[in-house]
Amino acid sequence: MPFPAPLRRAVTATLLPAALMLAGCSGPAPAPGSALPLRQVQDLPLPGGATRLDYQSIDPAARRLYIAHMGDGTVDAVDLDKPAVDGTAQGTASVHGVMVAPDRHTLLAAAAGTNEIALIDTRTLRETGRVKSGDLPDGIAYDPNHGKAYVSNEHDHALTVIDLTTGKDRSPIEVGGGTGNVIYDPASGKVFVNGQDRGELLIIDPATDAVTDRLKVDGCNGPHGLFIDGAKQLAFIACEGNAKLLVLDLRSKEITARFDTGNTPDVLAFDQGLHRLYLAAEDGTVSVFDERDRALVPVASAKLYDHAHTVAVDQATHRVYFPLQDINGHAVLRIMEPAK
């Protein structure tokens, strides 16, 4: 999830309120952030500078949130129950993706500045090793069943595979172009990755590391953000080039819905208990959908704050986390919860 290129910023999108969030519709500008079905709990100051933040990863058992502080080249660890920052991992240049492997006490961080994946001990927040990646490592998925991590490389043609038992890389998976986000789905036991250059969703069998299917994502310019609801067999895909959210039925392999979003939609997060999907865009717009009967229903769309492009959800409390790079000269973690 790199800083958007000028070409991406040149793409314009219509921002729609919930009542008009249907593909091809137009309407007035979105309501202010207060129109979102969320209540602000706290702005938690983050260490370092007022620089870009990126992906997040939650360790539910340890009650810890990890945040990539891309502009500082660090990863912040946040105690979710206090809440408070309880440590920072240093030395991850231009860090994009982060992913925790809780059973291995390991945090993986995509250091795009050096095209490496840093392996960090979550107990000490000290680095234990490095693995060479492809060009511009971005998203990271972790498969606990096979003890492997998969890294999407946005400017490359292959997926990096890491064996966490040995801490070494394995043979990369040829995908034929740059990739967006990558997800491990525990329901199917498969790995899914957006084929950003080809407009595809690729399915990978982690037992063999073979690409088993390529699904066309028609009408999606630059599929990047991704969430897989394995139980419902649905893929939610954010199209950063044309500001769309697509619903792909994994049974029929057809696109079943399209929604307009904020400009350059980026990260998706899903609340399993509330069946609610959050989508954060580079222009600060947050779009909220409810999942009903294998379909999405728009709830609200509004600008939260500048660069509010990354979101995470605590499944235990339903709290929602938005790292914001510059509020009065400081980076903060905005903590919100569903409004009653």
Side-chain angles (χ1 to χ4, degrees):
M1 187 170 41
F3 194 86
L7 178 60
R8 293 175 188 161
R9 289 197 295 266
V11 178
T12 58
T14 304
L15 304 178
L16 306 178
L20 293 174
M21 282 188 62
L22 298 174
C25 296
S26 61
S34 59
L36 294 169
L38 294 168
R39 182 184 71 86
Q40 184 171 332
V41 175
Q42 180 182 348
D43 272 357
L44 176 68
L46 295 174
T51 61
R52 184 172 173 83
L53 299 130
D54 218 335
Y55 285 106
Q56 307 172 76
S57 181
I58 290 179
D59 183 337
R63 304 294 302 140
R64 216 181 206 190
L65 169 69
Y66 296 95
I67 306 170
H69 202 147
M70 177 181 165
D72 278 26
T74 59
V75 180
D76 297 324
V78 175
D79 184 316
L80 293 177
D81 291 331
K82 288 182 180 178
V85 176
D86 63 0
T88 298
Q90 306 285 340
T92 50
S94 191
V95 57
H96 288 266
V98 289
M99 177 57 62
V100 64
D103 56 326
R104 297 177 180 272
H105 304 290
T106 299
L107 177 73
L108 298 101
T114 56
N115 286 334
E116 295 174 306
I117 306 303
L119 306 179
I120 298 167
D121 189 321
T122 57
R123 295 163 293 193
T124 63
L125 292 181
R126 293 181 179 177
E127 189 176 309
T128 59
R130 291 231 166 183
V131 177
K132 193 67 179 175
S133 70
D135 189 3
L136 213 164
D138 191 23
I140 306 174
Y142 171 54
D143 170 13
N145 290 332
H146 295 91
K148 293 188 288 188
Y150 297 82
V151 183
S152 61
N153 299 297
E154 191 153 3
H155 295 166
D156 216 314
H157 58 85
L159 207 65
T160 300
V161 183
I162 302 173
D163 185 335
L164 292 183
T165 300
T166 63
K168 306 294 184 181
D169 61 321
R170 302 182 64 162
S171 297
I173 302 173
E174 178 62 47
V175 293
T179 50
N181 205 358
V182 58
I183 299 289
Y184 170 72
D185 169 39
S188 64
K190 305 296 184 183
V191 173
F192 295 77
V193 61
N194 275 328
Q196 195 162 273
D197 289 348
R198 295 188 173 192
E200 299 174 327
L201 179 65
L202 286 75
I203 304 175
I204 296 167
D205 183 351
T208 60
D209 286 344
V211 176
T212 60
D213 208 349
R214 293 174 179 265
L215 309 182
K216 291 299 295 181
V217 187
D218 294 329
C220 186
N221 182 358
H224 187 74
L226 177 66
F227 181 81
I228 302 295
D229 184 345
K232 296 288 183 67
Q233 295 190 47
L234 296 173
F236 306 130
I237 301 170
C239 312
E240 65 177 10
N242 59 338
K244 301 288 183 185
L245 173 68
L246 271 56
V247 180
L248 173 61
D249 188 322
L250 296 174
R251 295 175 184 170
S252 66
K253 303 182 180 181
E254 295 180 350
I255 303 297
T256 58
R258 292 179 175 85
F259 303 94
D260 291 327
T261 70
N263 194 20
T264 318
D266 197 349
V267 177
L268 293 159
F270 191 73
D271 187 319
Q272 303 282 357
L274 299 181
H275 302 284
R276 175 162 286 183
L277 181 71
Y278 298 93
L279 170 58
E282 288 284 355
D283 68 357
T285 299
V286 174
S287 302
V288 184
F289 304 83
D290 281 346
E291 185 188 56
R292 299 177 191 166
D293 300 325
R294 303 190 75 244
L296 290 183
V297 177
V299 174
S301 180
K303 182 166 181 174
L304 179 69
Y305 204 83
D306 291 342
H307 310 299
H309 68 105
T310 170
V311 56
V313 175
D314 182 351
Q315 304 297 333
T317 64
H318 306 292
R319 284 188 169 181
V320 188
Y321 300 91
F322 299 96
L324 305 175
Q325 71 184 56
D326 189 354
I327 294 186
N328 299 321
H330 300 280
V332 305
L333 176 63
R334 178 155 295 177
I335 304 171
M336 308 188 80
E337 64 186 11
K340 294 182 179 179

